Amino acid sequence: MATPDDLCQARERKRSLYPVRTRYRDDQGEPLYTNRLILEDSPYLLQHAHNPVDWYSWGDEAFAKAAREDKPVFLSIGYSTCHWCHVMEEESFDDKEVAEMLNRYFVAIKVDREQRPDLDTLYMTGVQLITGHGGWPLSSFLTLDGRPFFGGTYFPKDHFMGLLGQVQEIWHDNRERLLEDADTLDTAIRQHLSPSAVAQLPDGLVEQATATLLDEADRDHGGFGEAPKFPHEPNLFLLLETIRHDPRALDDQPAWQVVRQALDGMLHGGIYDQIGGGFHRYSTDRSWLIPHFEKMLYNQGQLASVYLQAWQLSGQPEYRRIAEETLDFVLRDMRSPRGGFYSATDADSDGVEGKYFVWDYAELTHELDDEDLALCRAVYGVSRTGNFEGANVLHLPYSLDEVAEALGMTRGDLDEALQRIDRHLYELRKQRPHPLCDHKQITEWNGMVIAALAQAAYALERDDYRQAAIAAAEDLWTHHRDAQSGRLWRASLGGVASVHAQLEDYAHFMQALIDLYDLTHQRLWLDRALALLDELEAQHADTRDGGYYVAPMDNPGPQLVRSKPLMDGATVCGNAQMLTVLIALHQRSGDPTLPARIERHIEAFSGRVVQMPLASPVFLLGLQRWQTPPPGPCQYLAGGAIRTGYRVVEASETQLQVIVDIELAPGWHIQAHDLERAEATQLKVVNRDDWQEVAIHYPSPQPMTTGEAGYAGQLAIDLTARERVSAPLGLELQLQPCNDTACLPVERCRFVIHWNHGMADA
């Protein structure tokens, strides 16, 4: 139990780690109240450390006090960059009148949802079942054993005071009623979070679900849903996977039309920071124009990957620009000195939403000359009246190509002028009060950014991204992993990690390590991913029914249910990500135990997938990969001993030149290409009739230890094709893997190269 001296000492240690948020201060400006949250390592909890409310963190101490004093628990869940969380804090939690009632009649617990997403999922499910909707701050009332009996989200002070009075009155006068409500709600939560029975996956499940997703797309503005409008990255990941498998030209694919409209809508809208790069969390309107201005690390990692994949498929230079600008923003503004990444920046500056990001027309008139102001109006749609409370959220009403044509400029000249204007506006903006940056580092979200950096380093050949990805991965491995136990930590603040990792942390960090292995081909990264898989199995696996629990067994406080969710939200859920991770590990390691584990993982969630297939688009993506390996630019054969990939080196209106690279592990070789037998190494164009001419050049075979000629180490096959019709280039590589003791059966892999002219130089 913390003493007053413990709280004072913690306050002194953490002075530089958080801003004091309270109206109650002494003559020297020091806070009058300090509660137990000062002991925590979460910026969100530290924001409440000087409330007059006697807050507890989630754990046994709080529930022991509730039982000892026979008081119900009030649970508040939020996060540091949540606007309405700030509002409820200022109105209620930093108010003596509210604090007096909470302290007298309740045990108050504060939880950072980013530290404990398992608790957030559990109690948010309860609130959604009660009210039909959810959001933050989450406000829930619990029994002595942690079961919710009532809840909601934001409550204004007067409403909240009345609610506190009603709950404490019923608790003392009619408790049986509350306990009955708790029993009913507990049963409903368990049913909602428990997996469905095993079911047979019907043929065409992924295709039917994808067709439904296309029907649900917003064909006017791009994306999915109404206002408020979120990027829904899991939907885009599934559609990009569908496009990769489709041999038709991009413009003939309905999935590509939906992806393109979504990506164009976001990059043109105010949800994208046109000056500083990076994406805001969501748009308050259907057309992506006015954002909620907070920036979350997970959006940057996921959307950078989405735009990068879209560029790889299409060669559209705008998608590459957005991917690079987003990653550059993260490296510039969200990177810690150790190399890891902070979790978020706030929507507010000086208590005003969007103040840091919007532009007053008079300010632009003062700072820009007439020519640049005219260009700013044409490109970014600024006006005297503005589009957000009299100010301007910069956006692109027209594409940059359309603007260049309308102004009689070349695209290169327009880009050069915009770079000059953007730099000037960025420097001006830096002089404003900055939004709060949540310096908490979350393993899950760092994993997403590391994966995107590694993918971009591979595709764009950018060494700075490579070095940044390696540095961040080393930071997580060193500071977010207990070297003795091998367990991961979920989050850290100021170098201190104190919350055990959850399923999503393992899943997304493993994916990042796999992407680093693909980038560097250093066995270290694959071995680390396999080590984390062993630890995940020990701490999170459901050994009876398959799948993985979100939380480990030894999390503190009550655990009403160990949930195994399969629902993608703003991020890809852990069990969906684990399906793709297990498949990738099998392809790269050749571990013979993994296929059975993959099948068991699929079976564990089969009932839920049949009932609600679009609840987890990325699980469907995994099903598609397991049924048919994707024809992507990096593939593995011979249980990971052979890596293959392609590079587009020239793409014009008439010609496509591709290099197919093959890298063999030491001790392995493949047959020569010029053997007159079925085992010969062969590269062929599958859709040969779509191309006028095809020329394939193999390197000269070398003598092998077997006495025959073949290939070992690294080789590159050069293919040049002249276009006949507008179609992707379909390739099939055939080879026979051999080591010093035996030759394996012939293996094949496919590549489908969607391209347009200028792709290689984009």
mmCIF file of all heavy atoms in Angstrom, residues 689-729:
data_model
loop_
_atom_site.group_PDB
_atom_site.id
_atom_site.type_symbol
_atom_site.label_atom_id
_atom_site.label_comp_id
_atom_site.label_asym_id
_atom_site.label_seq_id
_atom_site.Cartn_x
_atom_site.Cartn_y
_atom_site.Cartn_z
ATOM 1 N N ASP A 689 -0.004 -15.307 -74.458
ATOM 2 C CA ASP A 689 -0.743 -14.746 -75.588
ATOM 3 C C ASP A 689 -0.995 -13.249 -75.438
ATOM 4 O O ASP A 689 -1.355 -12.575 -76.412
ATOM 5 C CB ASP A 689 -2.085 -15.464 -75.753
ATOM 6 C CG ASP A 689 -1.911 -16.908 -76.220
ATOM 7 O OD1 ASP A 689 -0.812 -17.226 -76.720
ATOM 8 O OD2 ASP A 689 -2.865 -17.696 -76.068
ATOM 9 N N ASP A 690 -0.834 -12.710 -74.232
ATOM 10 C CA ASP A 690 -1.059 -11.283 -74.013
ATOM 11 C C ASP A 690 0.170 -10.437 -74.347
ATOM 12 O O ASP A 690 0.116 -9.213 -74.233
ATOM 13 C CB ASP A 690 -1.443 -11.025 -72.551
ATOM 14 C CG ASP A 690 -2.812 -11.601 -72.210
ATOM 15 O OD1 ASP A 690 -3.631 -11.746 -73.135
ATOM 16 O OD2 ASP A 690 -3.054 -11.912 -71.024
ATOM 17 N N TRP A 691 1.269 -11.082 -74.748
ATOM 18 C CA TRP A 691 2.518 -10.350 -74.974
ATOM 19 C C TRP A 691 3.071 -10.691 -76.350
ATOM 20 O O TRP A 691 3.090 -11.845 -76.771
ATOM 21 C CB TRP A 691 3.544 -10.710 -73.885
ATOM 22 C CG TRP A 691 3.024 -10.359 -72.521
ATOM 23 C CD1 TRP A 691 2.223 -11.120 -71.725
ATOM 24 C CD2 TRP A 691 3.218 -9.132 -71.836
ATOM 25 N NE1 TRP A 691 1.908 -10.454 -70.573
ATOM 26 C CE2 TRP A 691 2.515 -9.217 -70.608
ATOM 27 C CE3 TRP A 691 3.926 -7.960 -72.113
ATOM 28 C CZ2 TRP A 691 2.491 -8.188 -69.682
ATOM 29 C CZ3 TRP A 691 3.910 -6.933 -71.190
ATOM 30 C CH2 TRP A 691 3.197 -7.050 -69.994
ATOM 31 N N GLN A 692 3.540 -9.658 -77.051
ATOM 32 C CA GLN A 692 4.032 -9.865 -78.414
ATOM 33 C C GLN A 692 5.336 -10.644 -78.427
ATOM 34 O O GLN A 692 5.501 -11.600 -79.177
ATOM 35 C CB GLN A 692 4.234 -8.509 -79.097
ATOM 36 C CG GLN A 692 2.935 -7.775 -79.400
ATOM 37 C CD GLN A 692 3.195 -6.446 -80.085
ATOM 38 O OE1 GLN A 692 4.338 -6.016 -80.205
ATOM 39 N NE2 GLN A 692 2.136 -5.789 -80.529
ATOM 40 N N GLU A 693 6.286 -10.213 -77.601
ATOM 41 C CA GLU A 693 7.599 -10.851 -77.579
ATOM 42 C C GLU A 693 8.033 -11.047 -76.134
ATOM 43 O O GLU A 693 7.776 -10.204 -75.277
ATOM 44 C CB GLU A 693 8.644 -9.983 -78.297
ATOM 45 C CG GLU A 693 8.359 -9.731 -79.764
ATOM 46 C CD GLU A 693 9.382 -8.785 -80.372
ATOM 47 O OE1 GLU A 693 10.439 -8.568 -79.735
ATOM 48 O OE2 GLU A 693 9.118 -8.262 -81.462
ATOM 49 N N VAL A 694 8.695 -12.148 -75.870
ATOM 50 C CA VAL A 694 9.243 -12.424 -74.546
ATOM 51 C C VAL A 694 10.662 -12.947 -74.716
ATOM 52 O O VAL A 694 10.894 -13.886 -75.484
ATOM 53 C CB VAL A 694 8.392 -13.457 -73.777
ATOM 54 C CG1 VAL A 694 9.078 -13.834 -72.463
ATOM 55 C CG2 VAL A 694 6.994 -12.917 -73.512
ATOM 56 N N ALA A 695 11.595 -12.317 -74.021
ATOM 57 C CA ALA A 695 12.990 -12.768 -74.047
ATOM 58 C C ALA A 695 13.427 -13.046 -72.610
ATOM 59 O O ALA A 695 13.267 -12.188 -71.733
ATOM 60 C CB ALA A 695 13.891 -11.713 -74.674
ATOM 61 N N ILE A 696 13.963 -14.252 -72.368
ATOM 62 C CA ILE A 696 14.397 -14.649 -71.031
ATOM 63 C C ILE A 696 15.873 -15.026 -71.092
ATOM 64 O O ILE A 696 16.282 -15.838 -71.933
ATOM 65 C CB ILE A 696 13.567 -15.842 -70.505
ATOM 66 C CG1 ILE A 696 12.071 -15.481 -70.485
ATOM 67 C CG2 ILE A 696 14.033 -16.241 -69.106
ATOM 68 C CD1 ILE A 696 11.174 -16.631 -70.063
ATOM 69 N N HIS A 697 16.664 -14.428 -70.209
ATOM 70 C CA HIS A 697 18.102 -14.687 -70.179
ATOM 71 C C HIS A 697 18.481 -15.251 -68.809
ATOM 72 O O HIS A 697 18.273 -14.602 -67.780
ATOM 73 C CB HIS A 697 18.882 -13.404 -70.458
ATOM 74 C CG HIS A 697 18.602 -12.810 -71.802
ATOM 75 N ND1 HIS A 697 19.129 -13.320 -72.969
ATOM 76 C CD2 HIS A 697 17.814 -11.760 -72.174
ATOM 77 C CE1 HIS A 697 18.702 -12.608 -74.000
ATOM 78 N NE2 HIS A 697 17.893 -11.656 -73.543
ATOM 79 N N TYR A 698 19.037 -16.461 -68.817
ATOM 80 C CA TYR A 698 19.485 -17.120 -67.590
ATOM 81 C C TYR A 698 20.995 -16.928 -67.439
ATOM 82 O O TYR A 698 21.726 -16.846 -68.441
ATOM 83 C CB TYR A 698 19.197 -18.622 -67.644
ATOM 84 C CG TYR A 698 17.736 -18.994 -67.715
ATOM 85 C CD1 TYR A 698 17.076 -19.067 -68.946
ATOM 86 C CD2 TYR A 698 17.028 -19.302 -66.565
ATOM 87 C CE1 TYR A 698 15.738 -19.427 -69.019
ATOM 88 C CE2 TYR A 698 15.685 -19.671 -66.625
ATOM 89 C CZ TYR A 698 15.049 -19.728 -67.855
ATOM 90 O OH TYR A 698 13.733 -20.091 -67.925
ATOM 91 N N PRO A 699 21.494 -16.900 -66.225
ATOM 92 C CA PRO A 699 22.955 -16.905 -66.055
ATOM 93 C C PRO A 699 23.520 -18.278 -66.415
ATOM 94 O O PRO A 699 22.789 -19.272 -66.496
ATOM 95 C CB PRO A 699 23.135 -16.599 -64.567
ATOM 96 C CG PRO A 699 21.873 -17.079 -63.926
ATOM 97 C CD PRO A 699 20.781 -16.844 -64.940
ATOM 98 N N SER A 700 24.803 -18.328 -66.624
ATOM 99 C CA SER A 700 25.441 -19.601 -66.974
ATOM 100 C C SER A 700 25.474 -20.520 -65.761
ATOM 101 O O SER A 700 25.868 -20.100 -64.667
ATOM 102 C CB SER A 700 26.866 -19.356 -67.469
ATOM 103 O OG SER A 700 26.854 -18.546 -68.628
ATOM 104 N N PRO A 701 25.059 -21.780 -65.920
ATOM 105 C CA PRO A 701 25.132 -22.730 -64.801
ATOM 106 C C PRO A 701 26.584 -22.961 -64.385
ATOM 107 O O PRO A 701 27.520 -22.790 -65.166
ATOM 108 C CB PRO A 701 24.495 -24.003 -65.374
ATOM 109 C CG PRO A 701 23.716 -23.549 -66.575
ATOM 110 C CD PRO A 701 24.453 -22.378 -67.128
ATOM 111 N N GLN A 702 26.742 -23.378 -63.123
ATOM 112 C CA GLN A 702 28.066 -23.649 -62.568
ATOM 113 C C GLN A 702 28.156 -25.122 -62.160
ATOM 114 O O GLN A 702 27.146 -25.746 -61.834
ATOM 115 C CB GLN A 702 28.316 -22.755 -61.348
ATOM 116 C CG GLN A 702 28.215 -21.267 -61.634
ATOM 117 C CD GLN A 702 29.260 -20.800 -62.628
ATOM 118 O OE1 GLN A 702 30.430 -21.211 -62.540
ATOM 119 N NE2 GLN A 702 28.854 -19.968 -63.586
ATOM 120 N N PRO A 703 29.359 -25.682 -62.151
ATOM 121 C CA PRO A 703 29.503 -27.085 -61.720
ATOM 122 C C PRO A 703 29.112 -27.249 -60.247
ATOM 123 O O PRO A 703 29.498 -26.451 -59.397
ATOM 124 C CB PRO A 703 30.996 -27.366 -61.924
ATOM 125 C CG PRO A 703 31.466 -26.306 -62.861
ATOM 126 C CD PRO A 703 30.628 -25.102 -62.601
ATOM 127 N N MET A 704 28.325 -28.273 -59.953
ATOM 128 C CA MET A 704 27.920 -28.583 -58.589
ATOM 129 C C MET A 704 28.755 -29.747 -58.060
ATOM 130 O O MET A 704 29.445 -30.447 -58.817
ATOM 131 C CB MET A 704 26.433 -28.955 -58.548
ATOM 132 C CG MET A 704 25.489 -27.856 -59.019
ATOM 133 S SD MET A 704 25.387 -26.446 -57.887
ATOM 134 C CE MET A 704 26.337 -25.204 -58.785
ATOM 135 N N THR A 705 28.693 -29.982 -56.764
ATOM 136 C CA THR A 705 29.447 -31.087 -56.162
ATOM 137 C C THR A 705 28.954 -32.436 -56.653
ATOM 138 O O THR A 705 29.662 -33.440 -56.555
ATOM 139 C CB THR A 705 29.328 -31.032 -54.633
ATOM 140 O OG1 THR A 705 27.939 -31.058 -54.269
ATOM 141 C CG2 THR A 705 29.976 -29.778 -54.079
ATOM 142 N N THR A 706 27.725 -32.461 -57.190
ATOM 143 C CA THR A 706 27.173 -33.713 -57.721
ATOM 144 C C THR A 706 27.773 -34.075 -59.065
ATOM 145 O O THR A 706 27.530 -35.170 -59.583
ATOM 146 C CB THR A 706 25.653 -33.575 -57.878
ATOM 147 O OG1 THR A 706 25.370 -32.499 -58.784
ATOM 148 C CG2 THR A 706 24.990 -33.303 -56.542
ATOM 149 N N GLY A 707 28.519 -33.152 -59.662
ATOM 150 C CA GLY A 707 29.085 -33.386 -60.979
ATOM 151 C C GLY A 707 28.260 -32.791 -62.092
ATOM 152 O O GLY A 707 28.730 -32.678 -63.227
ATOM 153 N N GLU A 708 27.008 -32.407 -61.815
ATOM 154 C CA GLU A 708 26.161 -31.780 -62.818
ATOM 155 C C GLU A 708 26.236 -30.263 -62.689
ATOM 156 O O GLU A 708 26.666 -29.719 -61.671
ATOM 157 C CB GLU A 708 24.717 -32.245 -62.664
ATOM 158 C CG GLU A 708 24.498 -33.725 -62.950
ATOM 159 C CD GLU A 708 23.029 -34.090 -62.916
ATOM 160 O OE1 GLU A 708 22.257 -33.356 -62.261
ATOM 161 O OE2 GLU A 708 22.656 -35.084 -63.555
ATOM 162 N N ALA A 709 25.786 -29.579 -63.734
ATOM 163 C CA ALA A 709 25.733 -28.120 -63.697
ATOM 164 C C ALA A 709 24.427 -27.674 -63.056
ATOM 165 O O ALA A 709 23.390 -28.339 -63.169
ATOM 166 C CB ALA A 709 25.847 -27.557 -65.103
ATOM 167 N N GLY A 710 24.478 -26.535 -62.363
ATOM 168 C CA GLY A 710 23.282 -25.997 -61.719
ATOM 169 C C GLY A 710 23.563 -24.626 -61.146
ATOM 170 O O GLY A 710 24.503 -23.940 -61.570
ATOM 171 N N TYR A 711 22.766 -24.234 -60.179
ATOM 172 C CA TYR A 711 22.901 -22.912 -59.574
ATOM 173 C C TYR A 711 22.923 -23.036 -58.052
ATOM 174 O O TYR A 711 22.153 -23.796 -57.460
ATOM 175 C CB TYR A 711 21.739 -22.003 -59.967
ATOM 176 C CG TYR A 711 21.570 -21.798 -61.458
ATOM 177 C CD1 TYR A 711 20.524 -22.421 -62.141
ATOM 178 C CD2 TYR A 711 22.439 -20.981 -62.172
ATOM 179 C CE1 TYR A 711 20.346 -22.230 -63.501
ATOM 180 C CE2 TYR A 711 22.273 -20.788 -63.541
ATOM 181 C CZ TYR A 711 21.232 -21.414 -64.200
ATOM 182 O OH TYR A 711 21.065 -21.227 -65.548
ATOM 183 N N ALA A 712 23.795 -22.262 -57.421
ATOM 184 C CA ALA A 712 23.849 -22.158 -55.965
ATOM 185 C C ALA A 712 24.070 -20.696 -55.608
ATOM 186 O O ALA A 712 24.383 -19.864 -56.474
ATOM 187 C CB ALA A 712 24.960 -23.034 -55.394
ATOM 188 N N GLY A 713 23.888 -20.376 -54.345
ATOM 189 C CA GLY A 713 24.102 -18.990 -53.919
ATOM 190 C C GLY A 713 22.998 -18.082 -54.416
ATOM 191 O O GLY A 713 21.827 -18.280 -54.095
ATOM 192 N N GLN A 714 23.355 -17.108 -55.245
ATOM 193 C CA GLN A 714 22.389 -16.148 -55.766
ATOM 194 C C GLN A 714 22.430 -16.142 -57.285
ATOM 195 O O GLN A 714 23.499 -16.282 -57.885
ATOM 196 C CB GLN A 714 22.688 -14.740 -55.239
ATOM 197 C CG GLN A 714 22.590 -14.612 -53.726
ATOM 198 C CD GLN A 714 22.887 -13.199 -53.258
ATOM 199 O OE1 GLN A 714 23.313 -12.344 -54.020
ATOM 200 N NE2 GLN A 714 22.669 -12.951 -51.975
ATOM 201 N N LEU A 715 21.271 -15.987 -57.895
ATOM 202 C CA LEU A 715 21.216 -15.825 -59.347
ATOM 203 C C LEU A 715 20.061 -14.913 -59.710
ATOM 204 O O LEU A 715 19.112 -14.742 -58.925
ATOM 205 C CB LEU A 715 21.060 -17.168 -60.055
ATOM 206 C CG LEU A 715 19.756 -17.940 -59.863
ATOM 207 C CD1 LEU A 715 19.411 -18.719 -61.136
ATOM 208 C CD2 LEU A 715 19.900 -18.908 -58.697
ATOM 209 N N ALA A 716 20.152 -14.327 -60.888
ATOM 210 C CA ALA A 716 19.120 -13.418 -61.383
ATOM 211 C C ALA A 716 18.758 -13.812 -62.803
ATOM 212 O O ALA A 716 19.638 -14.005 -63.655
ATOM 213 C CB ALA A 716 19.614 -11.975 -61.340
ATOM 214 N N ILE A 717 17.454 -13.948 -63.047
ATOM 215 C CA ILE A 717 16.941 -14.257 -64.381
ATOM 216 C C ILE A 717 16.311 -12.986 -64.937
ATOM 217 O O ILE A 717 15.455 -12.371 -64.297
ATOM 218 C CB ILE A 717 15.904 -15.395 -64.324
ATOM 219 C CG1 ILE A 717 16.509 -16.638 -63.670
ATOM 220 C CG2 ILE A 717 15.391 -15.714 -65.719
ATOM 221 C CD1 ILE A 717 15.498 -17.745 -63.419
ATOM 222 N N ASP A 718 16.736 -12.603 -66.134
ATOM 223 C CA ASP A 718 16.302 -11.351 -66.756
ATOM 224 C C ASP A 718 15.228 -11.653 -67.794
ATOM 225 O O ASP A 718 15.447 -12.446 -68.711
ATOM 226 C CB ASP A 718 17.507 -10.665 -67.411
ATOM 227 C CG ASP A 718 17.190 -9.250 -67.877
ATOM 228 O OD1 ASP A 718 16.044 -8.988 -68.275
ATOM 229 O OD2 ASP A 718 18.104 -8.407 -67.839
ATOM 230 N N LEU A 719 14.055 -11.017 -67.630
ATOM 231 C CA LEU A 719 12.949 -11.225 -68.570
ATOM 232 C C LEU A 719 12.492 -9.881 -69.114
ATOM 233 O O LEU A 719 12.287 -8.932 -68.350
ATOM 234 C CB LEU A 719 11.784 -11.936 -67.877
ATOM 235 C CG LEU A 719 10.547 -12.251 -68.728
ATOM 236 C CD1 LEU A 719 9.887 -13.543 -68.256
ATOM 237 C CD2 LEU A 719 9.512 -11.118 -68.685
ATOM 238 N N THR A 720 12.344 -9.814 -70.426
ATOM 239 C CA THR A 720 11.808 -8.619 -71.076
ATOM 240 C C THR A 720 10.607 -9.024 -71.916
ATOM 241 O O THR A 720 10.673 -9.979 -72.698
ATOM 242 C CB THR A 720 12.861 -7.950 -71.973
ATOM 243 O OG1 THR A 720 13.993 -7.587 -71.180
ATOM 244 C CG2 THR A 720 12.284 -6.693 -72.624
ATOM 245 N N ALA A 721 9.496 -8.307 -71.728
ATOM 246 C CA ALA A 721 8.268 -8.609 -72.469
ATOM 247 C C ALA A 721 7.761 -7.340 -73.123
ATOM 248 O O ALA A 721 7.809 -6.257 -72.535
ATOM 249 C CB ALA A 721 7.209 -9.189 -71.537
ATOM 250 N N ARG A 722 7.291 -7.488 -74.362
ATOM 251 C CA ARG A 722 6.664 -6.375 -75.070
ATOM 252 C C ARG A 722 5.157 -6.551 -74.993
ATOM 253 O O ARG A 722 4.627 -7.624 -75.260
ATOM 254 C CB ARG A 722 7.125 -6.328 -76.527
ATOM 255 C CG ARG A 722 8.595 -5.962 -76.676
ATOM 256 C CD ARG A 722 9.019 -5.996 -78.136
ATOM 257 N NE ARG A 722 8.245 -5.070 -78.947
ATOM 258 C CZ ARG A 722 8.514 -3.763 -79.069
ATOM 259 N NH1 ARG A 722 9.545 -3.253 -78.414
ATOM 260 N NH2 ARG A 722 7.778 -2.990 -79.835
ATOM 261 N N GLU A 723 4.461 -5.459 -74.644
ATOM 262 C CA GLU A 723 3.034 -5.535 -74.367
ATOM 263 C C GLU A 723 2.225 -5.755 -75.639
ATOM 264 O O GLU A 723 2.498 -5.173 -76.683
ATOM 265 C CB GLU A 723 2.580 -4.245 -73.683
ATOM 266 C CG GLU A 723 1.135 -4.267 -73.251
ATOM 267 C CD GLU A 723 0.723 -2.949 -72.628
ATOM 268 O OE1 GLU A 723 1.495 -1.982 -72.727
ATOM 269 O OE2 GLU A 723 -0.366 -2.902 -72.064
ATOM 270 N N ARG A 724 1.207 -6.592 -75.510
ATOM 271 C CA ARG A 724 0.255 -6.782 -76.597
ATOM 272 C C ARG A 724 -1.103 -6.204 -76.222
ATOM 273 O O ARG A 724 -1.727 -5.494 -76.987
ATOM 274 C CB ARG A 724 0.128 -8.269 -76.925
ATOM 275 C CG ARG A 724 -0.855 -8.563 -78.054
ATOM 276 C CD ARG A 724 -0.890 -10.045 -78.357
ATOM 277 N NE ARG A 724 -1.858 -10.361 -79.389
ATOM 278 C CZ ARG A 724 -2.120 -11.590 -79.806
ATOM 279 N NH1 ARG A 724 -1.470 -12.611 -79.262
ATOM 280 N NH2 ARG A 724 -3.015 -11.805 -80.745
ATOM 281 N N VAL A 725 -1.587 -6.525 -75.025
ATOM 282 C CA VAL A 725 -2.835 -5.955 -74.529
ATOM 283 C C VAL A 725 -2.581 -5.458 -73.115
ATOM 284 O O VAL A 725 -1.561 -5.755 -72.505
ATOM 285 C CB VAL A 725 -3.987 -6.988 -74.526
ATOM 286 C CG1 VAL A 725 -4.293 -7.455 -75.929
ATOM 287 C CG2 VAL A 725 -3.653 -8.163 -73.628
ATOM 288 N N SER A 726 -3.533 -4.702 -72.596
ATOM 289 C CA SER A 726 -3.390 -4.183 -71.239
ATOM 290 C C SER A 726 -3.676 -5.303 -70.252
ATOM 291 O O SER A 726 -4.828 -5.595 -69.938
ATOM 292 C CB SER A 726 -4.357 -3.019 -71.012
ATOM 293 O OG SER A 726 -4.254 -2.548 -69.685
ATOM 294 N N ALA A 727 -2.629 -5.949 -69.781
ATOM 295 C CA ALA A 727 -2.788 -7.075 -68.866
ATOM 296 C C ALA A 727 -1.574 -7.141 -67.968
ATOM 297 O O ALA A 727 -0.480 -6.712 -68.346
ATOM 298 C CB ALA A 727 -2.942 -8.381 -69.649
ATOM 299 N N PRO A 728 -1.726 -7.673 -66.768
ATOM 300 C CA PRO A 728 -0.555 -7.888 -65.923
ATOM 301 C C PRO A 728 0.333 -8.983 -66.503
ATOM 302 O O PRO A 728 -0.090 -9.752 -67.370
ATOM 303 C CB PRO A 728 -1.158 -8.307 -64.584
ATOM 304 C CG PRO A 728 -2.479 -8.889 -64.929
ATOM 305 C CD PRO A 728 -2.972 -8.124 -66.121
ATOM 306 N N LEU A 729 1.542 -9.041 -66.028
ATOM 307 C CA LEU A 729 2.476 -10.069 -66.447
ATOM 308 C C LEU A 729 2.411 -11.219 -65.449
ATOM 309 O O LEU A 729 2.720 -11.042 -64.264
ATOM 310 C CB LEU A 729 3.899 -9.507 -66.506
ATOM 311 C CG LEU A 729 5.014 -10.488 -66.873
ATOM 312 C CD1 LEU A 729 4.829 -11.001 -68.298
ATOM 313 C CD2 LEU A 729 6.381 -9.827 -66.709
#
